[in-house]
Amino acid sequence: MTPSYRIVLLPGDGIGPEVVEEARLTLETVAARFGFDLQFETHLLGGCAIEAYGTSLPESTLAACRRADAVLLGAVGGPRWDNPQAPDRPERGLLALRKGLSLFANLRPVRLFPELLGASTLKEEVLQGVDLLVVRELTGGIYFGPRQEAGEDGHEAYDTMVYTRPEIERVVRVAAQAARERRRKLTSVDKANVLASSRLWRRVTTEVVTREFPDIELEHVLVDAMAMHLIRRPASFDVIVAENLFGDILTDEAAMLAGSMGMLPSASLGEGTLGLYEPIHGSAPDIAGKGIANPLATILSAAMLLRHSLGQEAAAQAIETAVAQALAAGYRTPDLAGVHGPDDRVEVVGTQAMGAVVRQFLSA
Ligand code: NAD
Ligand code: IPM
Ligand code: MN
């Protein structure tokens, strides 16, 4: 019998719908080639859901995600919903979705396509050999701790960074397991010289790795130093594990190793096989509606979906190969055209054309 999977699409706001459409078409192409069925359902999340339902995460969206085999998200947010007094925000819906599905481990691989070395603002010799994976804790820390909005007087507001031992243990296990399947090196990021939650993080990480992963080499790096090492010696890292906020910040920085925000995919995983797949970038209001957004981060997120939720490894690799071929053939969206502008071996294309080129290589 032909395997069949249910995929929920959450295009979201800004460039979200533009890049998700290219990923959906790519998934259809790969499904036809590898002989499985995909049933797509589209739901609202973020700003578009606030407009339609008055809430950033409608019950119906969460319920559909719970029934699905996997969820593919574009991005949420935009200036239209940035009013600090608003009772709901697009970003709240995304956080509630991650929490509601208990997706505590966010995998953000940073892979360098050799053709894009020149697209980065960093020197080629620094970038040689970069191949790292950031595992970001996704349902704890300062994003979810006790908080207080500023009152009418605008005098004080706070957020609290809280971690418990089980929250740290489970994400460290995911990271250490990934390291075991890669180069067996784990870098844990914290701010243990200042924060109590980081001292617990460091202690639990050391215990888990020493007890359960004695074959993994573990180093602890303070987050401020990490921000520096990430652009000084990026090739020296294998797997990096970090709490929620530190992981968020470091992965936007890491995107510049790969040349653009438009290149980094992610997978958010929990205990089961259900996963949420999304590019790490946002809704890019500055280029939304122009047809120039880079769809590759979302297309590569679809590859991660095939790998982690559907167990379709060959199909995942086929997408990754097709992306590499599209880049090798010289196709670039404007964000990849290079800091000094495109050279004549490069053809600058829009969102849809880039998607079409990837699908052409996929069917070739
Ligand atoms: P952003 O990631 O949307 O954009 C940062 C810069 O990168 C912009 O110049 C943008 O044009 C560029 N960029 C991003 N994705 C690109 C792509 N695929 N192709 C080409 N260029 C790309 O970050 P921001 O501007 O700080 O945030 C905009 C909105 O997105 C905010 O409301 C924010 O909360 C939201 N956001 C959402 C997510 C998400 O849904 N997962 C992630 C980050 C930010
Ligand atoms: C990301 C984004 C989100 C985060 C926002 C939009 C809530 O920046 O996915 O990296 O901070 O997790
Ligand atoms: Mn982010």
Side-chain angles (χ1 to χ4, degrees):
M1 225 180 76
T2 310
S4 177
Y5 307 101
R6 281 197 291 204
I7 311 293
V8 163
L9 301 174
L10 305 173
D13 309 314
I15 62 168
E18 302 170 42
V19 294
V20 165
E21 178 60 5
E22 295 314 309
R24 184 188 67 78
L25 292 167
T26 306
L27 281 168
E28 282 191 338
T29 304
V30 85
R33 179 174 148 193
F34 285 85
F36 53 88
D37 275 347
L38 296 175
Q39 281 152 32
F40 294 101
E41 256 180 60
T42 301
H43 290 270
L44 299 182
L45 174 79
C48 58
I50 295 178
E51 304 295 313
Y53 295 104
T55 170
S56 56
L57 176 59
E59 251 321 302
S60 52
T61 296
L62 181 59
C65 292
R66 289 206 165 109
R67 286 192 305 267
D69 292 303
V71 183
L72 183 70
L73 165 75
V76 298
R80 198 160 154 196
W81 304 285
D82 267 348
N83 173 10
Q85 320 290 358
D88 195 358
R89 300 175 56 88
E91 294 81 357
R92 189 203 63 85
L94 175 55
L95 299 181
L97 178 66
R98 292 167 175 170
K99 189 79 168 177
L101 300 176
S102 302
L103 304 172
F104 61 85
N106 182 215
L107 275 48
R108 299 186 159 188
V110 181
R111 176 176 166 202
L112 248 77
F113 292 92
E115 299 77 17
L116 296 185
L117 282 177
S120 175
T121 49
L122 298 172
K123 293 195 183 104
E124 289 201 22
E125 62 260 33
V126 175
L127 296 172
Q128 288 295 348
V130 168
D131 175 13
L132 58 88
L133 170 68
V134 179
V135 179
R136 170 190 176 195
E137 201 290 325
L138 204 60
T139 52
I142 199 165
Y143 276 58
F144 294 96
R147 69 176 52 197
Q148 181 68 60
E149 294 286 343
E152 276 294 299
D153 65 354
H155 179 61
E156 187 188 54
Y158 61 79
D159 304 277
T160 323
M161 193 183 286
V162 186
Y163 271 106
T164 63
R165 172 175 287 271
E167 285 177 309
I168 303 167
E169 284 174 344
R170 64 186 182 178
V171 73
V172 168
R173 284 193 186 106
V174 169
Q177 188 57 42
R180 188 169 266 171
E181 289 154 27
R182 295 169 48 102
R183 302 193 305 277
R184 291 178 184 259
K185 200 177 154 202
L186 180 61
T187 303
S188 174
V189 175
D190 63 39
K191 185 75 185 173
N193 53 345
V194 175
L195 303 176
S197 57
S198 276
R199 286 189 281 275
L200 179 64
W201 179 280
R202 189 175 284 215
R203 177 170 143 195
V204 172
T205 302
T206 305
E207 286 172 15
V208 168
V209 175
T210 311
R211 207 183 313 125
E212 301 171 32
F213 300 88
D215 52 318
I216 301 296
E217 181 196 332
L218 172 67
E219 68 170 340
H220 301 281
V221 181
L222 296 171
V223 63
D224 46 357
M226 188 65 193
M228 180 271 294
H229 288 303
L230 203 50
I231 50 174
R232 191 177 73 109
R233 51 173 179 95
S236 74
F237 299 106
D238 180 13
V239 178
I240 297 167
V241 64
E243 70 84 37
N244 206 340
L245 180 63
F246 298 162
D248 177 47
I249 297 169
L250 290 176
T251 45
D252 267 30
E253 187 187 1
M256 290 322 297
L257 302 170
S260 164
M261 290 289 289
M263 290 305 297
L264 251 60
S266 89
S268 303
L269 307 172
E271 301 290 355
T273 57
L274 174 64
L276 168 66
Y277 299 84
E278 45 172 319
I280 80 149
H281 63 69
S283 56
D286 53 339
I287 57 166
K290 295 189 177 157
I292 56 169
N294 184 348
L296 295 181
T298 313
I299 290 173
L300 292 168
S301 299
M304 293 187 85
L305 178 156
L306 293 165
R307 169 171 298 126
H308 294 286
S309 284
L310 310 191
Q312 295 283 350
E313 176 62 30
Q317 283 183 25
I319 290 184
E320 289 162 352
T321 304
V323 167
Q325 286 170 321
L327 294 170
Y331 295 98
R332 305 277 187 275
T333 42
D335 54 304
L336 295 175
V339 269
H340 307 295
D343 62 38
D344 37 347
R345 288 157 301 167
V346 155
E347 184 173 344
V348 179
V349 295
T351 310
Q352 294 181 357
M354 183 58 114
V357 170
V358 170
R359 290 191 292 280
Q360 234 168 52
F361 281 110
L362 205 45
S363 340

